[in-house]
Amino acid sequence: MKSFRVAEFNAPLKEMDEPTPQPSGTQVLLKVKAAGVCHSDLHIWEGGYDLGHGRKPLSLKDRGVLLPLTMGHETVGQIVAFGPELTESDKHGLKVGDVVLAYPWLGCGKCKTCIGGDENMCIVKPSALGVYCDGGYSDHLTVRHAKYLIDLKGLDPVTAAPYACSGVTTYSALKKVETVFDTPIVIFGAGGLGLMALSLVKAMGGKGAIVVDIDAKKREAAEAAGALATVDGGAPDALEQLTKKAGEPIRAVIDLVGNAKTTQLGFDCLTKGGKLVIVGLFGGGAPWALPLIPIKAVTIQGSYVGNLRETEELLDLVRAKKIAPIPVTPMPLAKANDALTSLKEGRLVGRAILTP
């Protein structure tokens, strides 16, 4: 098995060759066909998050992320073998040779949160693939149980891989504001998540979205993907532009960037009673004047990826509405370092997909 692993934070990934694992217990062995390169991988690669206000960065090592680690949480693979403890009913109709999306946001599987279906929110023992356990930057991957595998049923592996993160992350965030879908919402960020959100919002019955990004090429990509309008977030009159282009009070903002400037502008553009959903992990400190939160009666809510049920709902929606995939750039597994560098430097539109 060939993998590209984080052996040291802030250092190039290390190519490693090891025996291909055999699935034990309820595990399933996949031959990787596609693995998305997500912006969250940059934070793992770098070893932490900027908390702003002069605070010490949030260390992933302190949060239990151990090296060496194979990143990659957006993975599609072909089933090679099942562990000996999986009964036919446990396999949920899957068989060797099926091409599946691996749901990556695993928890301990035993606490009330996990049993309730929200493993992505587990605090007992988070076990997310590519974060706490080895992920898809490899030619093989083991998944803990067949119940975390979703049959693609003909969807293209390369374009479907991002549904495991950018897809379910934006779907879950959009569900948090769907009560105001009769008005334009505002989306910050036109990367892989932003383009995914644009394709989903109308499929979910929304009026559409105005997209904010400081990169002209990404704004062009958002317009091509159906944005109602775009705004340069770095423009001195960005707030005025947002207000004018919305044409009515802005009741919902989804921030897929998550830095001090985007959250400030997102907060400022909201009408009374609006909601700011923060998804992005770019980093920094909260910028809002505290009295304005109760004065505007604004809700500020975090949204962390999505659960297994939402991922299954998403794939059903993609098939039913024939949702067009986001732009992808396939790259050989051996180019994993190049993919991360390109993403860090902002040279990618959409998603880089490693294809072993």
Side-chain angles (χ1 to χ4, degrees):
M1 179 176 74
K2 185 179 293 295
S3 303
F4 284 80
R5 314 188 78 184
V6 182
E8 182 181 345
F9 292 124
N10 284 307
L13 302 183
K14 183 177 180 181
E15 181 178 346
M16 302 183 77
D17 290 292
E18 301 169 290
T20 301
Q22 296 303 307
S24 61
T26 61
Q27 290 180 334
V28 183
L29 177 66
L30 305 180
K31 182 175 177 60
V32 176
K33 297 181 74 70
V37 179
C38 178
H39 200 278
S40 297
D41 292 338
L42 292 180
H43 296 293
I44 299 170
W45 193 28
E46 293 165 353
Y49 298 92
D50 175 13
L51 298 180
H53 299 308
R55 297 173 180 168
K56 179 183 176 182
L58 178 62
S59 167
L60 289 176
K61 182 179 179 181
D62 292 344
R63 294 191 69 197
V65 175
L66 303 177
L67 302 184
L69 172 73
T70 304
M71 296 192 298
H73 51 265
E74 296 184 342
T75 310
V76 169
Q78 186 170 32
I79 297 176
V80 175
F82 293 98
E85 293 180 15
L86 280 172
T87 64
E88 286 303 314
S89 61
D90 288 332
K91 297 176 185 178
H92 300 281
L94 296 173
K95 60 186 182 300
V96 170
D98 284 345
V99 178
V100 295
L101 181 74
Y103 175 76
W105 309 110
L106 311 186
C108 69
K110 299 175 181 178
C111 69
K112 288 183 178 180
T113 299
C114 289
I115 293 171
D118 293 312
E119 287 203 39
N120 57 304
M121 300 300 293
C122 178
I123 61 172
V124 176
K125 188 181 179 183
S127 302
L129 300 177
V131 182
Y132 294 98
C133 303
D134 287 336
Y137 287 20
S138 179
D139 55 25
H140 285 81
L141 170 70
T142 54
V143 180
R144 190 167 74 200
H145 196 286
K147 67 182 180 181
Y148 302 112
L149 304 177
I150 305 171
D151 193 341
L152 285 191
K153 297 179 182 177
L155 293 176
D156 176 61
V158 172
T159 56
Y163 292 132
C165 180
S166 62
V168 72
T169 296
T170 51
Y171 178 71
S172 184
L174 286 166
K175 286 185 69 175
K176 292 174 173 64
V177 299
E178 62 183 344
T179 57
V180 298
F181 270 0
D182 57 333
T183 62
I185 68 170
V186 173
I187 294 172
F188 281 80
L193 272 75
L195 298 180
M196 184 73 74
L198 278 173
S199 66
L200 292 177
V201 65
K202 290 189 177 180
M204 295 171 69
K207 186 172 183 178
I210 300 167
V211 177
V212 182
D213 202 295
I214 59 174
D215 188 309
K217 287 185 177 179
K218 291 183 179 179
R219 292 198 301 274
E220 289 175 10
E223 289 167 3
L228 297 175
T230 59
V231 172
D232 179 356
D237 64 340
L239 180 58
E240 289 76 12
Q241 286 189 51
L242 274 171
T243 302
K244 182 178 180 180
K245 291 182 178 182
E248 56 186 300
I250 297 170
R251 299 164 66 192
V253 171
I254 295 178
D255 187 351
L256 302 171
V257 180
N259 65 26
K261 290 183 178 179
T262 58
T263 52
Q264 180 69 71
L265 182 55
F267 181 91
D268 290 345
C269 77
L270 282 172
T271 189
K272 284 188 175 181
K275 179 181 281 191
L276 169 62
V277 178
I278 302 174
V279 176
L281 295 165
F282 193 90
W288 315 293
L290 295 180
L292 292 181
I293 297 176
I295 288 171
K296 293 181 71 171
V298 166
T299 298
I300 300 169
Q301 182 174 3
S303 187
Y304 181 67
V305 297
N307 60 35
L308 177 58
R309 181 184 64 258
E310 289 171 327
T311 310
E312 292 167 338
E313 289 174 3
L314 169 64
L315 290 186
D316 288 341
L317 181 68
V318 168
R319 293 189 197 94
K321 299 289 186 177
K322 296 181 171 58
I323 296 173
I326 63 170
V328 296
T329 303
M331 301 177 73
L333 177 61
K335 295 288 186 181
N337 278 298
D338 293 343
L340 286 167
T341 301
S342 295
L343 180 60
K344 186 174 184 177
E345 295 175 355
R347 291 188 274 117
L348 287 172
V349 174
R351 241 335 174 244
I353 307 291
L354 301 178
T355 54

